[in-house]
Amino acid sequence: MNIKDSWLKSGYVDEQVPTNIDIKKEIIRLKEEKDAIIMAHFYQKNEIQDIADFVGDSLALAQKAAKTDAKIIILAGVHFMGETAKILSPDKKVLVPDLNAGCSLADSCPPEEFQQFVNSHPDHTVLTYVNTTADIKALSDIVVTSTNAKNVVDSLPKDEKIIFGPDRNLGNYLNSITGREMVLWDGACHVHEKFSVEKIVELKKEHPDALILAHPECKKPLLLLADYVGSTAALLNYSTSNENKKFIVATESGIIHQMQKANPDKEFIPAPPNDSTCACNDCEYMKLNTLQKLYNCLKFEWPNIEVKEDIRVKAVKPINRMLDISKKAGL
Ligand code: 13P
Ligand code: SF4
């Protein structure tokens, strides 16, 4: 396929979508014609979540990518999620709507520096959060997501020495709930770190009947304030199973779409960030994906994710270890 210079420059197919088509119907038609599956993370725009065949957290997306029969996987999420799908399903074409959809947490862990970190802890097991590049996964012993991180840590002998990266907040949280002393890489997600504890305390005064839900990528003071801490899928499940009618949600605001759909009678209030007058906290990388880019990526089958085979062979092992532990834990 001849990749246009303008596409390469922009990182997505920058063709005008015809104005006379019903874009949602066309996406569904193309997807069926090409035997493609559209998978979306909970942080995607509402219209992308609604058109997707499957919406889930990082673990569910990896599990689905490992077992789908579709010829093409469209991963509407960020780059590392597309890479994970490609590592697990190398024979499939894995497309992402916009190559610029990166992740500040993955960026906070450059491979050369992480290699030095690993080298300086020779007798340690290397645990890494799924929010990393394929190169980092290739340096790891086991990958975790926020849904299974505790199960993975608990599966290791109590005296096993562990290094954990790249998220210092998730690492600290795991240390506190497992009683471990994992050595932590000093990385973070800029979205989860910018929630304002002060504004959330004010919000709680206005809504004393609301429970605070927080993702473990948030800073410690917020996690201490939270009534429940968990992955996106865990927060969604908790908001449904808990009888409370009001929740303050401290994670990227996209998850509220599924919470509201599952619980039309409940109120979900996005926790505010500290840097703007905006009421909610969006990941600008996740929100780069649009229906137009999704349509074009299906139509032109670009951008596709490639992972070098030597890296893929190393990276698939720690991901498969994670999937095995998750299966045993019933996740
Ligand atoms: P989950 O695994 O909870 O979906 O988290 C993914 C993520 O990127 C959080 O910022
Ligand atoms: Fe990465 Fe944070 Fe965006 Fe999740 S919310 S994709 S961790 S930058």
Side-chain angles (χ1 to χ4, degrees), residues 3 33-34 115 128 134 152-154 188 200 203 249 254 321 330:
I3 307 296
E33 183 185 296
K34 295 184 178 221
Q115 176 76 74
T128 55
V152 172
V153 174
D154 286 344
I200 294 171
L203 209 50
V249 184
R321 276 188 79 181

Side-chain angles (χ1 to χ4, degrees), residues 171-214:
N172 273 317
Y173 175 70
L174 285 171
N175 277 343
S176 72
I177 60 170
T178 62
R180 306 276 177 146
E181 289 179 0
M182 298 189 295
V183 183
L184 306 182
W185 179 264
D186 193 18
C189 157
H190 74 298
V191 177
H192 287 86
E193 283 224 316
K194 74 178 176 202
F195 282 112
S196 164
V197 173
E198 291 75 17
K199 287 186 189 172
I200 294 171
V201 169
E202 284 307 309
L203 209 50
K204 176 80 180 171
K205 279 187 201 152
E206 277 172 50
H207 304 276
D209 51 338
L211 294 180
I212 299 174
L213 309 180

